[in-house]
């Protein structure tokens, strides 16, 4: 079998916020290893996230890139950032 989707859930309320941003970049690099750092940042920006100045309020993004559909949603109720890639 093969993996067709993967999801990462981040609790951004801790002191290790930067680790969550790094995890997002690593997960995108795993899904599409041909993307360089600037392309990964651009993909996250198209989902509504500026990794250099992450403001999570209101993030609810969806984009398709290289045949993979990415979603990024911040849940205010759960205080969780959910990232999903489906190929």
């Amino acid at each position: 079998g093969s993996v067709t989707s993967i999801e990462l859930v981040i609790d951004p309320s801790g002191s290790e916020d930067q680790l969550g941003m790094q995890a997002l970049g690593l997960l995108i690099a795993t899904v599409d290893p041909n993307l360089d750092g600037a392309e990964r940042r651009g993909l996250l920006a198209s989902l509504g996230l500026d990794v250099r100045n992450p403001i999570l309020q209101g993030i609810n993004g969806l984009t398709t890139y290289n045949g993979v559909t990415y979603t990024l949603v911040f849940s205010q109720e759960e205080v969780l950032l959910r990232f999903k890639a489906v190929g």
Side-chain angles (χ1 to χ4, degrees), residues 13-60:
S13 63
S15 61
E16 303 298 330
D17 290 347
Q18 196 57 35
L19 289 177
M21 297 303 111
Q22 291 172 353
L24 285 172
L26 289 172
L27 188 57
I28 293 169
T30 300
V31 170
D32 191 344
N34 295 319
L35 299 179
D36 65 23
E39 291 170 310
R40 291 191 300 270
R41 283 189 299 277
L43 192 152
L44 288 169
S46 72
L47 292 169
L49 179 65
D50 176 356
V51 296
R52 290 191 162 91
N53 183 26
I55 298 172
L56 303 180
Q57 296 278 51
I59 290 180
N60 187 6

Side-chain angles (χ1 to χ4, degrees), residues 72-86:
L72 185 64
V73 177
F74 178 68
S75 169
Q76 185 69 36
E77 287 180 6
E78 299 174 303
V79 191
L80 293 175
L81 184 63
R82 295 181 184 278
F83 173 81
K84 189 171 186 177
V86 178

